[in-house]
Amino acid sequence: MSASYYLSCLWPGLPELWWRGRMASLPLAIAFCLALNSFLVFGWVYPGWISGGLFWMATLVGVTVWGFYVVRGLRELPELIHPRKVSEEPDRFREAHAAFLRGDWEAAEQLLTSVLAIEPRDPPALLMLCSVYRHLDQLDHATVLINEISRLEVADPWWVEVETERKRIRRAMAAEAEAKKKTKSDARENPATDEAAPSENAADMTADRATAA
């Protein structure tokens, strides 16, 4: 991993935001920005606003906290960048791909879910899971997932595959809507036949009664 990746650790909260999109780290990043600006303002722009002893005590505390988050960020960065390489769980993407090729959609879904539990932003696994949902006729799930994939920056190189899958989902939804429309149309034609059937049964009962008499 390039040393330039570690520069993001100098800003607490930035690695989680930049590499994983974790909005929970946004308050920490904002707090560091406010602390840094306060240090510059009270220490160099308007040094007379706060006494020197209080300023340097606050600076010492701030540097200690900053160092703690920098060290933590350096330790967690490999997991943020390449979670599969540092995970103890086996990578089961190949098994999921094999299950997908043989049409075992339920097994493929379970395996892809385990893959995405390790790396939730893996475009190939996400696209394959979207296709599995389409084959399982879970078109609502497929639509939501394909929209989420299109918002990921890491999925930008996969935009052709994303748009292709989106078109397939739309065709499947159109076919499903057409099938429902045809079913409703058939249901409208069948009631006349269904209404005639009771009359025939009634006539048979009348004939049976006449014969019995």
Side-chain angles (χ1 to χ4, degrees):
M1 185 167 54
S2 175
S4 60
Y5 289 117
Y6 290 96
L7 293 177
S8 61
C9 298
L10 297 178
W11 192 291
L14 182 60
E16 293 86 353
L17 278 171
W18 186 262
W19 302 114
R20 309 305 298 173
R22 295 176 182 171
M23 298 304 295
S25 300
L26 182 60
L28 177 60
I30 294 176
F32 176 73
C33 179
L34 294 176
L36 180 61
N37 282 276
S38 299
F39 171 77
L40 296 175
V41 170
F42 297 130
W44 309 101
V45 180
Y46 300 104
W49 285 9
I50 299 180
S51 63
L54 181 61
F55 171 76
W56 288 112
M57 183 179 298
T59 300
L60 179 60
V61 173
V63 170
T64 303
V65 174
W66 173 76
F68 167 78
Y69 281 108
V70 168
V71 172
R72 192 185 74 169
L74 293 173
R75 290 179 178 178
E76 295 180 351
L77 188 63
E79 183 178 356
L80 294 174
I81 303 298
H82 303 294
R84 285 186 181 177
K85 294 182 179 180
V86 298
S87 176
E88 297 180 356
E89 298 294 329
D91 185 5
R92 310 191 68 181
F93 182 78
R94 292 184 179 179
E95 299 177 34
H97 188 224
F100 180 86
L101 292 178
R102 65 173 180 265
D104 190 352
W105 313 123
E106 289 77 8
E109 181 182 4
Q110 293 178 359
L111 291 169
L112 288 171
T113 302
S114 65
V115 171
L116 292 171
I118 301 173
E119 172 53 285
R121 293 159 54 91
D122 183 13
L126 289 169
L127 282 168
M128 190 178 298
L129 181 59
C130 188
S131 182
V132 167
Y133 286 151
R134 176 169 53 82
H135 283 93
L136 291 173
D137 293 329
Q138 299 179 10
L139 300 180
D140 293 338
H141 290 64
T143 301
V144 172
L145 184 57
I146 199 66
N147 291 334
E148 292 295 329
I149 297 172
S150 62
R151 297 190 185 100
L152 295 177
E153 294 182 359
V154 293
D156 289 345
W158 299 81
W159 68 271
V160 175
E161 290 79 2
V162 171
E163 292 303 319
T164 301
E165 184 60 31
R166 193 190 302 275
K167 292 179 181 178
R168 291 172 179 170
I169 295 172
R170 288 175 179 173
R171 286 199 298 266
M173 295 180 69
E176 183 181 24
E178 185 65 24
K180 290 181 179 180
K181 183 178 179 182
K182 184 177 180 181
T183 302
K184 291 181 180 180
S185 177
D186 294 340
R188 292 175 182 174
E189 296 176 357
N190 289 334
T193 305
D194 296 338
E195 291 176 359
S199 300
E200 182 179 356
N201 294 335
D204 293 340
M205 293 177 64
T206 304
D208 294 338
R209 289 178 182 176
T211 302

